[in-house]
Amino acid sequence: MEFKDPFDEILQLAVEEPTKRYHFYKAFLELELVVIGKVASDPKEELTLDLKYIEIEGELILPVYSCWEKFHSILGSDFTYVKIPTQMLLDAIEVDKPWVLNPGFDLSKKIIPEELETLRDGRIVHHFFENLSDTEKKQLMTEQTTAVSDTTLDAISSYLQDYPSIKKAYITHIYNPSTNEQAYPLIGLEIDESDRQQAMELIHSISKKVNQHVPFQPLFEWMVLDESLPLATSMVEQTEPFYERDPLDSLRSMFH
C-alpha cells in the first residue's frame, strides 16, 4: 500500500497559495523530523547531536524528513537516524546551513538559514499570521481560547472588592501564534495612583487568591494598566470592564 504523508498537502497548499504559509510553518514546527545522525555523549556526559550533512550542487545541506517512511524509502537502512521535534532541532544546532525538507521527492522544500533563524524565534510565524484575514485570525484565536464564564468573572469580582484601590478590571486573551499553547486570559487592573508603588504586591496577592479559589486553566495572568502601554490602551478601548468599583465604596472609605 502506498504511503501518503499528510504533510504533503500542507506543503502543496503553501506552494500554491501564499495565504497558507502560516499553516505550513506552524505545522512544520509541530513535526517530529527524521534526520541522518545519532545522539552522542561527550566526556562531560552531555548529550549532543552528531548529524550528517550532505553536499548537493556544491552546497552543504541538512536533509530532514517529515516522517520515517519517507526517510526509509530514500535512504533505506544504510544510515542511523534521529527523530526529533523541529523546535528542539532548531534550538540544538547552528542554523548557518540550509535544510532540505524531504529531499528525493517531487514535493520538497529548501529552507534557508534566514528562514531557520526566524522559525527558531517565531518571527516568521507571527509575520504570516498577521497576513491572514481578520476572519481567519479570529477563528484561530477562538479555537485556542477557553471562554471565561460570567460565573467565573463574578467570583473574581467578589475577590477584587477586597482591594479598595482597584477601580476597574478588564479581561482579554493573549495568543502566541508560534506555539501550540492555548491563549491565556489576561486581566488588566486600573488602580488608584496612590497605590502604584505597591502594584506588584497587589498583583501577587490577588493572583494568589484567585488562582487558589477560582479553578481555571490556563491560569489568569495579571497586569496593572498603564496608559503608556499599547496593550493597556487597546484593552480599555476595545473591551468593557467586567468589574467596576462602586462609587459608594470610595465615600464609605472616607470615614475609616
Side-chain angles (χ1 to χ4, degrees):
M1 183 179 295
E2 183 182 353
F3 172 76
K4 291 186 177 180
D5 182 0
F7 193 76
D8 283 346
E9 183 178 355
I10 298 172
L11 176 54
Q12 185 65 55
L13 286 172
V15 171
E16 297 171 353
E17 302 179 45
T19 58
K20 300 299 182 182
R21 288 173 189 170
Y22 163 76
H23 301 283
F24 164 76
Y25 286 117
K26 185 75 161 47
F28 181 64
L29 284 172
E30 295 168 7
L31 280 178
E32 183 178 61
L33 296 173
V34 185
V35 294
I36 306 171
K38 60 184 179 180
V39 177
S41 58
D42 63 18
K44 297 180 180 179
E45 297 184 354
E46 294 179 353
L47 295 180
T48 59
L49 291 174
D50 182 11
L51 303 181
K52 181 176 178 60
Y53 290 76
I54 63 176
E55 186 174 329
I56 296 181
E57 298 180 353
E59 181 179 38
L60 278 180
I61 63 101
L62 179 68
V64 300
Y65 289 88
S66 56
C67 60
W68 178 85
E69 289 82 359
K70 281 189 169 178
F71 177 94
H72 188 263
S73 68
I74 297 296
L75 300 172
S77 56
D78 295 334
F79 297 95
T80 58
Y81 63 88
V82 175
K83 289 184 175 180
I84 183 170
T86 303
Q87 188 66 60
M88 186 179 294
L89 182 58
L90 286 166
D91 293 336
I93 65 173
E94 294 294 330
V95 290
D96 54 347
K97 298 179 182 65
W99 299 1
V100 175
L101 174 64
N102 296 330
F105 291 88
D106 292 336
L107 190 58
S108 63
K109 173 176 168 51
K110 181 178 181 180
I111 306 175
I112 63 175
E114 289 79 4
E115 277 179 285
L116 297 171
E117 286 283 359
T118 55
L119 270 167
R120 181 155 61 184
D121 61 23
R123 280 179 292 158
I124 198 167
V125 181
H126 282 268
H127 169 75
F128 283 104
F129 178 80
E130 291 303 322
N131 287 343
L132 297 174
S133 68
D134 290 341
T135 300
E136 192 168 7
K137 281 193 285 188
K138 184 176 181 180
Q139 180 182 346
L140 286 168
M141 292 182 67
T142 300
E143 291 171 355
Q144 296 296 322
T145 300
T146 301
V148 182
S149 68
D150 290 340
T151 302
T152 299
L153 291 179
D154 288 342
I156 295 173
S157 296
S158 68
Y159 289 108
L160 296 182
Q161 291 174 2
D162 296 335
Y163 300 87
S165 63
I166 298 176
K167 296 190 286 186
K168 295 179 183 179
Y170 301 78
I171 187 168
T172 190
H173 283 82
I174 303 297
Y175 173 58
N176 184 350
S178 65
T179 71
N180 291 324
E181 297 175 359
Q182 276 191 306
Y184 64 85
L186 174 66
I187 295 178
L189 302 176
E190 186 178 317
I191 65 176
D192 292 329
E193 285 293 332
S194 59
D195 221 32
R196 287 277 172 171
Q197 291 185 344
Q198 287 76 39
M200 293 306 297
E201 294 179 13
L202 180 72
I203 291 289
H204 177 73
S205 175
I206 296 172
S207 63
K208 183 178 179 181
K209 185 177 292 187
V210 170
N211 289 336
Q212 283 180 343
H213 299 284
V214 184
F216 192 86
Q217 289 294 332
L219 295 176
F220 294 96
E221 297 289 339
W222 302 79
M223 68 177 291
V224 173
L225 296 178
D226 185 333
E227 293 179 356
S228 65
L229 299 176
L231 176 58
T233 302
S234 65
M235 286 182 73
V236 173
E237 292 179 349
Q238 299 177 21
T239 63
E240 293 292 328
F242 71 88
Y243 169 80
E244 196 163 357
R245 183 175 64 194
D246 186 342
L248 290 178
D249 289 339
S250 298
L251 293 176
R252 294 189 191 103
S253 66
M254 295 175 65
F255 294 91
H256 291 170

